Amino acid sequence: MEWEGLNTGLDAEELELELEIQDRDDQESEPKMEFELAEGTRLDVGVTEVVGKSRSFIQGLIEDGHVLVNGASKKSNYKVRTKDKITVILPPPKELQVEAEDIPLEILYEDEDVLVVNKPQGMVVHPAPGAWTKTLVNALLYHCRNLSGINGVLRPGIVHRIDKDTSGLLVVAKNDLAHQGLAEQIKAHSMARRYLAIVHGVVFEPSGTVEAPIGRDPADRKKMAVVFQNAKEAVTHYKVLERFRDFTLIEARLETGRTHQIRVHMAYLKHPVLGDPLYGPRKNPFGLQGQMLHAQLLGFQHPRTGEYMEFSAPPSELLQKVLEGIRRDGLIS
């Protein structure tokens, strides 16, 4: 459980639970922290260092009156004076509920343990700030209420995820046994995951492997990047399927599963995914608002029977339309 309901400005992939500030009337029963800061310290900066939360989280606490200086509210940019007494009132966590919604799902397979779904482009996998409804989880809860609870109330059944604007296959766990079995396969890199992507530029090598660690971009916290500190191992294998004058159609195979892995690794090679709003050019010739990336193949051992199961799904209509346009316009090299 986390702090809930406070608008921190974090995106849906960074913040798992909404932060909710309780009414000032409840403050007497809430835990407090009291301390002093060095003279001249900016209030939000000093409190952030002491409390250990993000600066945006602390700024929200200050705005809602949960940070007091000598018993009074101040602004985030207040400069602390000698002997100022800082009080931080910590609101208790509050359980969140996710509503079931009647949203159509393309289900490729289902039994008592697992469910394989073809997620459409534009659908968020699980609720988070900015996307509390119309997510895959909302739809799953309507379709089947018996989902594994290992990942908490906001991510029932979710073993792995794909980005909002990436279409394609996901396996969902309907109980904890299935969740544990699938999670072990992901950890062991034994789950087969292959993607189709249209990338910028001509990739001349017929195939290759990107082995470069991925972590938070130090220059932009909303992005990931190839970095060599505070990063995790990341390995992506790719092969060329078709080359065009300005683009290349590739198949990418994940060995690891880091956030935005294919998008980051292809941008690292100077071949960002077409339409990628974070890692690609700001403008593209098709006016796309999301990346041309599709989780085409998914294979795993059934967590109960041990049988190997493999599924495939055709690319989204949009990806196929863009690909046909590239071919039709004579862009083949």
Side-chain angles (χ1 to χ4, degrees):
M1 205 173 330
E2 267 284 5
W3 302 108
E4 302 174 2
L6 184 63
N7 182 10
T8 65
L10 302 184
D11 64 27
E13 291 177 352
E14 295 168 334
L15 192 59
E16 299 295 334
L17 296 177
E18 183 185 27
L19 308 172
E20 182 172 307
I21 297 299
Q22 305 298 310
D23 293 334
R24 288 288 301 275
D25 293 342
D26 296 332
Q27 288 182 1
E28 291 304 319
S29 61
E30 295 170 350
K32 297 180 180 179
M33 296 178 66
E34 295 183 346
F35 49 88
E36 294 183 1
L37 295 170
E39 183 176 7
T41 301
R42 180 172 158 136
L43 182 61
D44 57 351
V45 174
V47 174
T48 295
E49 293 177 353
V50 173
V51 176
K53 293 286 186 178
S54 70
R55 187 170 171 183
S56 56
F57 176 84
I58 296 301
Q59 288 173 339
L61 286 181
I62 293 171
E63 183 177 344
D64 284 89
H66 284 254
V67 177
L68 306 176
V69 179
N70 302 321
S73 297
K74 299 290 183 182
K75 293 184 178 180
S76 291
N77 62 0
Y78 171 79
K79 295 297 179 66
V80 174
R81 300 174 182 176
T82 303
K83 296 185 179 180
D84 273 350
K85 182 179 179 181
I86 313 300
T87 303
V88 179
I89 303 165
L90 302 174
K94 181 180 178 181
E95 190 68 35
L96 293 177
Q97 298 295 326
V98 180
E99 297 295 329
E101 296 181 61
D102 186 4
I103 302 171
L105 289 173
E106 183 181 348
I107 297 172
L108 278 65
Y109 176 83
E110 182 176 9
D111 61 24
E112 62 178 345
D113 297 302
V114 300
L115 180 151
V116 177
V117 61
N118 184 20
K119 184 188 81 69
Q121 186 179 40
M123 175 181 273
V124 175
V125 170
H126 62 78
W132 289 109
T133 61
K134 301 181 180 179
T135 72
L136 178 63
V137 163
N138 294 109
L140 288 169
L141 288 173
Y142 185 89
H143 175 77
C144 57
R145 294 184 178 275
N146 55 323
L147 297 171
S148 73
I150 289 177
N151 264 344
V153 66
L154 292 185
R155 297 192 296 173
I158 301 302
V159 182
H160 64 120
R161 67 185 184 191
I162 55 180
D163 300 330
K164 171 186 174 183
D165 289 320
T166 297
S167 58
L169 297 174
L170 286 166
V171 59
V172 175
K174 298 178 73 174
N175 53 61
D176 289 354
L177 180 148
H179 194 124
Q180 291 168 349
L182 293 169
E184 288 173 1
Q185 293 179 56
I186 292 176
K187 184 177 181 180
H189 310 316
S190 62
M191 184 176 288
R193 289 175 288 173
R194 296 181 187 175
Y195 293 70
L196 284 181
I198 303 174
V199 301
H200 283 271
V202 179
V203 180
F204 292 104
E205 302 82 3
S207 62
T209 296
V210 186
E211 190 168 355
I214 291 177
R216 187 70 59 186
D217 188 335
D220 186 346
R221 65 181 309 280
K222 293 184 178 182
K223 298 171 64 174
M224 307 302 288
V226 171
V227 293
F228 297 91
Q229 290 184 338
N230 300 318
K232 294 183 179 180
E233 173 195 16
V235 181
T236 304
H237 306 280
Y238 67 89
K239 69 176 182 179
V240 171
L241 301 180
E242 287 186 75
R243 293 187 184 92
F244 309 100
R245 189 179 70 199
D246 300 312
F247 305 99
T248 303
L249 177 66
I250 68 166
E251 178 187 88
R253 179 171 63 86
L254 290 180
E255 186 170 316
T256 56
R258 308 306 175 203
T259 300
H260 300 175
Q261 180 171 316
I262 295 173
R263 298 164 64 186
V264 171
H265 273 172
M266 295 314 298
Y268 180 65
L269 295 183
K270 309 301 182 186
H271 294 292
V273 178
L274 175 62
D276 193 328
L278 277 181
Y279 306 104
R282 291 188 177 182
K283 295 183 179 180
N284 62 75
F286 303 96
L288 301 170
Q289 301 299 315
Q291 62 272 4
M292 294 293 94
L293 182 61
H294 173 69
Q296 182 183 40
L297 181 142
L298 179 66
F300 56 90
Q301 286 188 315
H302 193 283
R304 186 180 298 273
T305 67
E307 176 188 1
Y308 180 75
M309 311 179 74
E310 190 171 278
F311 304 89
S312 61
S316 67
E317 291 184 8
L318 178 59
L319 192 153
Q320 293 188 61
K321 182 178 179 181
V322 170
L323 191 56
E324 290 169 2
I326 292 174
R327 292 177 177 139
R328 183 177 61 249
D329 292 342
L331 297 183
I332 300 177
S333 59

